[in-house]
Amino acid sequence: MIRVEFLGPIQKDPLELDITNLNQLAKILQEDKELSQWLQNSAVAVNDTLVSSLDVELEDGDKVSLLPPVCGG
Amino acid sequence: MIRVEFLGPIQKDPLELDITNLNQLAKILQEDKELSQWLQNSAVAVNDTLVSSLDVELEDGDKVSLLPPVCGG
Amino acid sequence: MSLELYDGGLDVPTILKKWYESEVQSNYGAFIPFVGTIRDEDGITGLSFDIYEPILESWFEAWQEKAKAKGAMIKMAHSRGDVMLHQSSYISAVFSPKRRVALEFIDEFVEDFKASAPIWKYDLKDGKRIYAKDRSTAIDGSGILGEKL
Amino acid sequence: MSLELYDGGLDVPTILKKWYESEVQSNYGAFIPFVGTIRDEDGITGLSFDIYEPILESWFEAWQEKAKAKGAMIKMAHSRGDVMLHQSSYISAVFSPKRRVALEFIDEFVEDFKASAPIWKYDLKDGKRIYAKDRSTAIDGSGILGEKL
């Protein structure tokens, strides 16, 4: 299983999904209307490392995080 | 009388001179060999305001200061 | 670790004193802190912060390596949760042998902090906690999950 | 007056605390101090400073006016006389509503300080006080008294 976490202001509980890559995740999340405002502007990390393309394979136990726009300080 | 002060590392006592402009001062100081290393790189202030040319008239009681290269901090 | 997270507003004099004294024998010639304080504006009573620590730490460590390569070092403190008006929520600092390196580094570091550090800001207003969406910046590379498939 | 001169090394934590607390209710969003510390190099035991206060004050006031025009303010402290290794001889700081103004201002201010402030530096070495000629900068407009007449 892959754990998907939504950080900061994205008010959504984590998901546990049976997927093997980020393309599958994109397909699933794009069907979720409450996420539509976040997918275009959120960064994606796999196991706490930012990734810049969907061509990433996932292994059982991996964690995917969505990071919406930031503003520290 | 005009008082001429030599600041910082210029090791020279103040002068009291009977002059009426900076051109006269330049002529007098250029005859002083111990000042030759300082005249080219020192700034000049009249009554604590920096001046950028010799075309400055002096009045009795004025103070002229020579400021050699600086390095604060 | 030179990254410190605190609940609520920062005790700025104490943190600056600690940082200064910790490096006073390290032969750095320049020390430049940046202190961010909550301004009274737009009717807020304060700000509130969420932090995602694992990525903040790796982001910070990457900057520490950049600093090391220039003979410099950085320190940073940030608040978690609510911070009231006129309190401080953020301090970062660079120590460097040389003035120019320090002046350029603090600028680059603070700007990338604003653009990349995984911290989310909320206005505290009328008893609510409102995401500061308009002042927030999408992290570089954002949007891949929204791409047309 | 926000220009402070001290005999010998500066008490950095105390000065930073005083400055921070003096402006904490002034609604500035950014506070950036620059702290200069004497490095152990070239076999010196310390540095020593001469200051010409009347022109330092007018130079500083001109910068304070520039800061005001941007909604900002500056403070500065400097040592007179001898300052030993690892002590600090110089602190300046900018307070500003906005981050970008503060980051740019502290850089411009510190660089002009180095180039223009009427302060002379001496190395303390082998019991002597030696003018730091090679690290010194002629003030803009220097040399008029050496012009061919």
Side-chain angles (χ1 to χ4, degrees):
Chain A
M1 297 293 272
I2 305 297
R3 183 179 172 85
V4 182
E5 295 184 345
F6 303 90
L7 300 178
I10 313 180
Q11 300 282 331
K12 189 172 169 65
D13 291 333
L15 302 174
E16 296 277 347
L17 297 174
D18 190 11
I19 54 176
T20 60
N21 61 57
L22 285 182
N23 260 296
Q24 291 173 301
L25 178 62
K27 197 167 290 174
I28 293 167
L29 297 183
Q30 288 182 15
E31 282 164 16
D32 183 340
K33 279 215 167 158
E34 34 161 350
L35 282 179
S36 63
Q37 64 163 311
W38 297 112
L39 296 185
Q40 303 290 341
N41 61 16
S42 289
V44 179
V46 176
N47 299 331
D48 295 331
T49 298
L50 292 169
V51 298
S52 56
S53 111
L54 292 179
D55 299 331
V56 174
E57 300 297 308
L58 300 172
E59 288 181 25
D60 190 38
D62 279 355
K63 177 176 71 171
V64 178
S65 311
L66 269 72
L67 296 90
V70 297
C71 187
Chain B
M1 295 294 273
I2 305 297
R3 184 179 171 84
V4 183
E5 294 183 345
F6 302 90
L7 301 178
I10 314 180
Q11 300 281 331
K12 188 170 169 66
D13 290 333
L15 303 174
E16 296 278 346
L17 298 174
D18 190 10
I19 54 177
T20 61
N21 61 57
L22 286 183
N23 259 294
Q24 291 174 300
L25 178 62
K27 195 166 292 175
I28 293 167
L29 297 183
Q30 288 182 15
E31 283 163 16
D32 183 338
K33 280 217 166 157
E34 33 161 351
L35 281 179
S36 62
Q37 64 163 312
W38 298 112
L39 295 184
Q40 301 292 340
N41 61 14
S42 289
V44 180
V46 176
N47 299 330
D48 295 332
T49 297
L50 293 168
V51 299
S52 56
S53 110
L54 292 180
D55 297 332
V56 174
E57 300 297 308
L58 299 172
E59 288 180 26
D60 190 37
D62 279 354
K63 177 177 72 171
V64 178
S65 312
L66 269 73
L67 296 89
V70 297
C71 187
Chain C
M1 191 64 172
S2 308
L3 170 59
E4 307 169 12
L5 301 177
Y6 296 87
D7 294 323
L10 303 178
D11 180 347
V12 174
T14 300
I15 292 170
L16 292 180
K17 178 181 162 78
K18 183 179 72 173
W19 289 357
Y20 175 73
E21 291 178 348
S22 71
E23 303 302 331
V24 77
Q25 297 296 323
S26 306
N27 217 28
Y28 293 117
F31 167 45
I32 309 181
F34 176 100
V35 180
T37 299
I38 313 294
R39 299 189 69 216
D40 183 358
E41 58 186 353
D42 303 327
I44 62 168
T45 55
L47 297 175
S48 190
F49 298 92
D50 289 339
I51 298 180
Y52 186 60
E53 297 185 25
I55 292 181
L56 182 64
E57 282 169 16
S58 53
W59 170 85
F60 183 82
E61 283 305 315
W63 271 97
Q64 191 67 282
E65 289 304 310
K66 279 199 207 186
K68 254 190 212 164
K70 291 174 187 267
M73 74 165 301
I74 47 171
K75 294 182 187 273
M76 181 177 135
H78 203 285
S79 298
R80 276 186 291 240
D82 296 356
V83 184
M84 298 299 104
L85 293 183
H86 306 312
Q87 290 188 315
S88 296
S89 53
Y90 173 53
I91 318 179
S92 57
V94 58
F95 290 87
S96 155
K98 294 290 175 195
R99 167 179 102 250
R100 278 300 333 145
V101 167
L103 286 164
E104 286 162 22
F105 211 87
I106 193 70
D107 191 327
E108 290 168 35
F109 178 77
V110 168
E111 290 300 324
D112 189 57
F113 166 80
K114 283 295 204 183
S116 309
I119 302 178
W120 295 278
K121 179 180 285 179
Y122 305 82
D123 288 333
L124 297 175
K125 207 167 175 176
D126 305 327
K128 290 185 208 119
R129 189 174 193 256
I130 306 157
Y131 175 50
K133 190 178 174 184
D134 294 349
R135 281 125 70 204
S136 298
T137 307
I139 295 171
D140 262 1
S142 286
I144 54 174
L145 287 174
E147 287 172 6
K148 283 229 163 107
L149 298 171
Chain D
M1 190 66 172
S2 308
L3 170 59
E4 306 168 13
L5 301 177
Y6 295 87
D7 294 323
L10 303 178
D11 180 347
V12 173
T14 299
I15 292 170
L16 292 180
K17 177 181 163 78
K18 182 179 72 172
W19 289 358
Y20 175 73
E21 290 177 349
S22 71
E23 302 303 331
V24 77
Q25 297 296 323
S26 306
N27 216 28
Y28 293 117
F31 167 45
I32 310 182
F34 176 100
V35 180
T37 300
I38 313 294
R39 299 189 69 215
D40 183 359
E41 58 186 353
D42 303 327
I44 62 168
T45 56
L47 297 175
S48 189
F49 299 91
D50 287 341
I51 298 180
Y52 187 59
E53 297 185 25
I55 292 182
L56 181 64
E57 282 168 18
S58 53
W59 171 84
F60 183 81
E61 282 306 313
W63 271 97
Q64 190 68 283
E65 289 305 310
K66 280 199 206 186
K68 256 190 209 164
K70 292 175 187 262
M73 75 165 300
I74 48 173
K75 293 182 187 273
M76 181 177 135
H78 203 286
S79 298
R80 275 187 291 240
D82 295 357
V83 184
M84 298 298 104
L85 293 184
H86 307 312
Q87 289 189 315
S88 296
S89 53
Y90 173 53
I91 317 179
S92 57
V94 58
F95 291 86
S96 157
K98 296 288 175 196
R99 167 178 102 251
R100 279 300 332 146
V101 167
L103 286 165
E104 286 160 23
F105 212 88
I106 192 71
D107 191 327
E108 288 169 34
F109 178 78
V110 168
E111 291 300 324
D112 190 55
F113 165 80
K114 283 295 204 183
S116 308
I119 301 178
W120 295 278
K121 179 180 286 179
Y122 305 81
D123 289 332
L124 298 175
K125 206 168 176 174
D126 305 326
K128 288 183 209 121
R129 191 174 191 255
I130 306 157
Y131 175 49
K133 190 180 174 182
D134 294 348
R135 282 124 69 204
S136 298
T137 306
I139 295 171
D140 262 0
S142 286
I144 55 175
L145 286 174
E147 286 172 5
K148 283 229 162 107
L149 297 172

